[in-house]
Amino acid sequence: MQQVPYGSVDRDKPLIRVPFTRLAVITVCLPLLGLIACIVLALLYHYNDATYTHCQVPNYLPSISAAISLTPERYIWRFSIGLHSAPRFLVAAAYLSFYRGRFTRRLTEQLLSGLTFLLALSENVGLLLLTYVSSTETYNLHKSGFIVFIGSSLFHMLCTCKLWSMIANYSLSAEEMMSYRLKRRLFLFNGCFFLLALYFYRRHNKYCEAGIYSFFAGCEYLVVLSNMAFHMTAYWDFGGKEVMVATPPEGKRF
């Protein structure tokens, strides 16, 4: 067998090279497929448990919290989010680098970029918390995770749209302009259905009307799906980029 010298050209080639577009698709598909599987399984095999509320009135759709707290649904969801979370941190760092490159000498935009990065991290941490602490185990901690997730998500979308509106004042490619327009629409869509979900949730708790909790669940699905679609816009933002894992050059090793 031919011996390859340490530090040769072959050894210094990237170990892994993944197009950012593929990473974006994988990152979104993991929670999407996990969510669909959990809801379908909850409806097919745990319908009564999944649609039960303290009001004890007829409901037809499970909330996401109810669907991911059952077995085996909770394990499917935890597996999906566990794999999904690491790329999300990577994408957040990629956006921070992207914004800093666009706003090299603008303090306000740099600060907003940092805030957006922190909100992205907070959103992901909130998602991990509500995932690994189900509503049937420690409700208050699960609820706190949900509040952190949804609050960070909305403010992250708002800050992102503001940053892209600033970028649009200078120059945007056709793909970046499409991404910016999608971001704005998805943010408005997400915000509207979040308010509707909040309305139906409070109405259900106050009046205990049949079927109202199902409207809440439907709005909740749309909030989560639009959140996923918002993050999917990274597909266009980093279309020509790649994620690489490589060994450092000989002179840069510590």
Side-chain angles (χ1 to χ4, degrees):
M1 185 174 67
Q2 183 181 4
Q3 298 293 319
V4 179
Y6 183 83
S8 69
V9 175
D10 287 339
R11 189 187 182 284
D12 291 337
K13 285 182 179 179
L15 302 175
I16 300 173
R17 175 178 286 176
V18 181
F20 210 105
T21 51
R22 186 179 300 172
L23 180 69
V25 171
I26 292 171
T27 303
V28 171
C29 282
L30 281 168
L32 175 61
L33 296 176
L35 178 63
I36 292 172
C38 289
I39 293 172
V40 170
L41 287 172
L43 288 172
L44 290 177
Y45 299 108
H46 307 110
Y47 182 81
N48 291 331
D49 290 336
T51 58
Y52 174 84
T53 71
H54 69 281
C55 287
Q56 300 184 20
V57 294
N59 287 299
Y60 313 104
L61 290 174
S63 68
I64 293 176
S65 293
I68 66 174
S69 66
L70 302 166
T71 304
E73 291 91 327
R74 72 174 67 180
Y75 303 117
I76 295 172
W77 182 247
R78 288 173 181 178
F79 176 77
S80 301
I81 296 302
L83 292 178
H84 155 89
S85 60
R88 278 283 296 275
F89 287 119
L90 178 63
V91 172
Y95 269 115
L96 179 62
S97 178
F98 171 79
Y99 294 139
R100 285 183 171 178
R102 290 295 184 106
F103 304 117
T104 52
R105 298 181 180 179
R106 294 178 176 273
L107 179 60
T108 302
E109 286 85 346
Q110 289 274 5
L111 291 174
L112 186 57
S113 301
L115 176 60
T116 305
F117 173 68
L118 292 176
L119 288 169
L121 298 184
S122 176
E123 178 185 346
N124 206 22
V125 170
L127 178 59
L128 288 168
L129 181 60
L130 71 88
T131 294
Y132 287 96
V133 181
S134 70
S135 59
T136 57
E137 293 171 341
T138 309
Y139 175 75
N140 287 334
L141 196 55
H142 175 86
K143 181 180 177 181
S144 297
F146 176 79
I147 292 172
V148 170
F149 167 72
I150 199 68
S152 299
S153 170
L154 285 168
F155 281 106
H156 173 261
M157 289 183 181
L158 176 62
C159 292
T160 299
C161 289
K162 180 60 178 176
L163 284 169
W164 278 84
S165 70
M166 294 173 178
I167 295 173
N169 291 331
Y170 301 98
S171 63
L172 284 177
S173 66
E175 285 191 341
E176 287 175 334
M177 182 58 73
M178 180 179 68
S179 174
Y180 170 47
R181 289 171 178 167
L182 278 173
K183 284 178 172 66
R184 286 191 306 178
R185 293 167 185 169
L186 288 166
F187 168 61
L188 292 173
F189 182 92
N190 185 277
C192 288
F193 277 95
F194 167 72
L195 293 175
L196 277 174
L198 188 62
Y199 165 75
F200 286 124
Y201 181 79
R202 290 186 172 180
R203 179 169 170 175
H204 167 75
N205 286 333
K206 186 173 183 179
Y207 299 110
C208 286
E209 300 168 287
I212 292 297
Y213 198 75
S214 299
F215 283 108
F216 159 73
C219 291
E220 187 184 33
Y221 299 165
L222 293 173
V223 168
V224 171
L225 290 173
S226 59
N227 174 275
M228 293 179 190
F230 189 93
H231 289 291
M232 184 63 194
T233 58
Y235 184 95
W236 293 279
D237 299 339
F238 301 106
K241 303 294 189 296
E242 290 182 326
V243 177
M244 291 189 296
V245 177
T247 55
E250 190 72 24
K252 293 187 178 180
R253 295 194 181 106
F254 294 96

